[in-house]
Amino acid sequence: MIRLEEVTKVYPDGTEAVRGVTLQVAKGEFCVLLGPSGCGKTTTLKMINRLIPLSSGRITVDGVDIYKVDPNDLRRGIGYAIQEIGLFPHMTVGENIATVPRLLRWPKERIRRRVEELLELVGLVPPEEFSKKYPAELSGGQRQRVGVARALGADPPILLMDEPFGAIDPITRERLQDEFLRIQAEIKKTIVFVTHDINEAVKLGDRIALMREGRLVQYATPAELLAHPKDGFVRDFVGADRTLKALRLLRVREVMEEKPPTVEASKPLAEARERLERLGVNFLPVVDREGRFLGWLNRTNLRPEGRVAEVMTPYSVLATPDTPLNEALSLMFESAVGNLAVVDGEGRLRGLLTFRRLHEVLRESYREEGQG
Amino acid sequence: MAEAWQFLLRRPDLLSGWTLQHLYIILVANGISLIIAVALGIWITGRGREKIADVVLYLSDIIMTIPSLAMFGFLMPLFAALGLKSYGFGVAVTALVLYGLLPVIRNTYTAIKEVDPAVVEAGRGMGMSELQILTRIKLPLATPVIMAGLRNAVVINIGIAAIAAMIGAGGLGVPIFRGLRNLRMDLIITGAVALTLLAWAADGLLGLLERWLTPEGLKRARKR
C-alpha cells in the first residue's frame, strides 16, 4: 500500500509543483494520476521512488517511510517504466530485463528463467529469440513491451509508470493497454500510472486522481468521476462525451435483458407466428434444443407452411456478457435486426441487448449528472 | 630512395631502435594522458561542475595551440628550475601527455553528456548507484567516442614526438634531424617514411580497437 500525506514539492526557484497531495493506493489497486501537462502528476510519481526529493509531507510504502530506507534499495523494490522507455542500447533485450535481478544478485539460472517468463508474459515470443536481440532491432511497440517487462524484472509488488504507452501509435497503444490489463489481472500489482489521456485513465484505472496546478482535485473511481465531476475543471477535462465514455465502463451483462423469449428452430412456422403476435414483437431469437443461439426469425419472412429453421436469418454479430457497452453499441449498428444477442462461451443465448435498454441506461446516467 | 633502402639494409638495427624508442615514448605519454583525460573528462560531467568543465576544456584547448617547439622551450627551464633533468625523455613525455589531453577529455566529456537522459533515468529509477550508472551505462556507451579521441591524440603525438628528438628524447626524429644537419638524404627519407608508416599503422590499429570495443548493440543501431 502506498500513502501520500500532504506531499509538497517546491523547487528552489519557488515553483510549487505539487501542493499538499494526500492519497492512498491500496494493495493491488491501479491508480491513475491524470491531468494536463504541468499539473504535477509526474513529479508526484517520481517522489514515490525518490527520483525527486520531497519538500514536505510524508510518503509511506507498506507503512514504512520511504526516507527510512536506502534509495537504491527502495527503487529495486519498485518497478519503473517511462514514456521514453530508456532501454540500454548496448545491452540485449534479455540483459535489459535482467537489470534489477542482477542488481539483486540473483543466481544466473533464476535470472534466465525469469527473463523468459517475462518475455512470454509481454508476448515477445519465442523468448530465446527476442532475448538475444538489441533494442535497435525492435519496433516501438516491442520496445515498450520490453520496458514493461524490465519494470517487472524482479517481480516488485509496486509499479510506477509514467505515460508508458504515450509515444506509440494509437492502434498499438490500444493493444498494449488491453494486454497490460490482462497482465495486471494476472499479477495484481499495486500500480501508480501517469497519463494525460482521459480515455486511457478510464480504461485502465481502478481509481483516478485528477490533478491541476499541483493539487489533487478529485480522487474517485472512473465511473464516479464521469458521473459526478466535482467541478467545472473536472467536467471540462473529462470531456463533453463523458456519457459515451461511461459506456465502456459498463458490461453487457449489467444491462442485458435476461432470459428473453425465444423460438426453437424445429418448431412449425404457424406456432412461431402465434408467438410473435402474442408478444407483439417483430423479431425473435432462434435457438436449438440446447438453447444455443442460431439466428433471428423476422416477422416479414413468415410463410404459411414450414419450420422456423427454413426462414430464419443466421446471425452475423454477437456479444458476450463481458463485452464493454461501447463495443456492444457499435455491434448493434452492424446487426441486421438492431438487437444484439448475448451468448456465453458454449454459444448458449444468455440475453438480449436492445436499444430500448440502452436508452434507459443512458437516460439514467444523464439524470445522475443532473443531480451531481 | 635507393640510398635509403641501402641504409636500411646496412643498419636495420638503428631503424628498429629508433622506432621502438618512438613507440615507447608514445605508449608512456598517451597511456598517462589517457588515464588523466578520461578521469578528468568523467569528473567534469558531474552535476554542478559546468563552470569547471568550461575551464578545463578551455585550458586543454590552449595547450593544443602552443607550438611544440615553444612547449619544449617552456618545459625545459621549468624542469631545470625544479631540479629535474631539463632534456630528454622526461620533458618529451610531459609535453606529449599535455598534448594528448584535449582530444580525449573533449570526447569523454561530450560522449558522457550525450548519453540519452532517459537511459540514465531508467537506470537510476531501477536502483543503480551512480557508480553503476557510470560503469554499466555511461562508459560502455561512451567508449567508441573516447577511443576515437585517443586515436586522434596518438596520431598527433607521433608527429610531435619526432620533434622531441631535438631535445634528446630519441625516436624517429633522430635520423631526420641528423640527415638535415649532414645533408644525408638516405637518413631523412628513412626517418620520414618510417614515421609516416608508424602513424598510419597506429591509426589503423586503433581504428580496429575502436570497432572491437564498440558494443554490439550500438553497431546494430548504426546499421539501421
Side-chain angles (χ1 to χ4, degrees), chain B residues 53-76:
Chain B
D54 284 346
V55 173
V56 168
L57 289 171
Y58 181 67
L59 283 180
S60 44
D61 219 6
I62 285 186
I63 293 173
M64 283 298 273
T65 59
I66 300 175
S68 46
L69 275 177
M71 177 71 91
F72 295 130
F74 292 130
L75 286 180
M76 290 172 77

Side-chain angles (χ1 to χ4, degrees), chain A residues 46 49 51 72 75-76 78 80 82 84-91 99-100 102-103 132-134 136-138 150, chain B residues 116 118-130 132 136-138 140-141 215-218 220-222 224:
Chain A
K46 288 184 180 176
N49 66 359
L51 281 178
N72 290 330
R75 291 172 194 152
R76 287 170 196 178
I78 299 179
Y80 186 54
I82 52 179
E84 306 82 3
I85 321 178
L87 292 183
F88 306 138
H90 58 304
M91 295 186 192
T99 304
V100 182
R102 274 188 182 170
L103 291 172
K132 291 193 202 89
K133 289 197 176 196
Y134 284 93
E137 299 169 301
L138 303 179
R150 186 173 67 172
Chain B
D116 184 353
V119 168
V120 175
E121 193 196 311
R124 192 171 290 133
M126 283 187 288
M128 284 187 172
S129 68
E130 291 306 310
Q132 285 165 333
R136 296 188 193 187
I137 302 177
K138 289 180 177 173
L141 289 176
E216 181 61 28
L218 295 190
R220 298 206 190 165
R222 268 180 223 161
R224 307 234 136 194

Side-chain angles (χ1 to χ4, degrees), chain B:
Chain B
M1 211 56 188
E3 296 133 24
W5 188 243
Q6 268 174 10
F7 172 79
L8 247 182
L9 292 177
R10 211 163 56 241
R11 296 299 306 269
D13 56 317
L14 278 178
L15 180 66
S16 59
W18 291 323
T19 309
L20 285 178
Q21 248 176 358
H22 207 99
L23 268 179
Y24 182 62
I25 295 172
I26 294 296
L27 222 63
V28 172
N30 280 97
I32 296 171
S33 188
L34 178 70
I35 293 167
I36 298 174
V38 170
L40 205 57
I42 291 170
W43 187 73
I44 60 176
T45 56
R47 226 176 293 170
R49 302 210 182 104
E50 289 79 9
K51 284 266 161 57
I52 304 175
D54 284 346
V55 173
V56 168
L57 289 171
Y58 181 67
L59 283 180
S60 44
D61 219 6
I62 285 186
I63 293 173
M64 283 298 273
T65 59
I66 300 175
S68 46
L69 275 177
M71 177 71 91
F72 295 130
F74 292 130
L75 286 180
M76 290 172 77
L78 183 70
F79 269 58
L82 292 171
L84 300 166
K85 204 172 96 177
S86 62
Y87 60 92
F89 185 78
V91 179
V93 164
T94 308
L96 295 181
V97 166
L98 290 173
Y99 281 123
L101 288 177
L102 178 73
V104 181
I105 293 181
R106 170 141 285 162
N107 282 25
T108 305
Y109 177 76
T110 317
I112 288 184
K113 276 281 178 190
E114 272 173 13
V115 170
D116 184 353
V119 168
V120 175
E121 193 196 311
R124 192 171 290 133
M126 283 187 288
M128 284 187 172
S129 68
E130 291 306 310
L131 185 67
Q132 285 165 333
I133 290 173
L134 180 68
T135 56
R136 296 188 193 187
I137 302 177
K138 289 180 177 173
L139 277 181
L141 289 176
T143 299
V145 183
I146 296 175
M147 286 308 297
L150 176 69
R151 187 173 159 192
N152 214 322
V154 167
V155 171
I156 293 171
N157 273 355
I158 285 179
I160 297 176
I163 298 169
M166 282 188 99
I167 57 160
L172 284 168
V174 174
I176 297 178
F177 285 120
R178 198 176 289 170
L180 285 173
R181 267 198 305 277
N182 305 322
L183 286 177
R184 283 269 308 271
M185 285 307 158
D186 57 342
L187 280 179
I188 297 177
I189 294 173
T190 303
V193 170
L195 195 62
T196 307
L197 290 180
L198 186 65
W200 283 352
D203 191 46
L205 284 175
L206 287 170
L208 283 180
L209 186 65
E210 184 184 323
R211 204 174 326 153
W212 184 65
L213 287 175
T214 302
E216 181 61 28
L218 295 190
K219 284 186 208 161
R220 298 206 190 165
R222 268 180 223 161
K223 267 190 221 147
R224 307 234 136 194

Side-chain angles (χ1 to χ4, degrees), chain A residues 166-192:
Chain A
I168 1 188
D169 65 275
I171 295 166
T172 314
R173 187 188 312 151
E174 283 275 340
R175 206 169 60 222
L176 286 180
Q177 289 166 349
D178 291 339
E179 281 176 22
F180 190 62
L181 278 177
R182 172 185 58 78
I183 291 172
Q184 166 64 357
E186 205 174 305
I187 60 183
K188 277 283 161 213
K189 302 290 180 192
T190 306
I191 299 174
V192 182

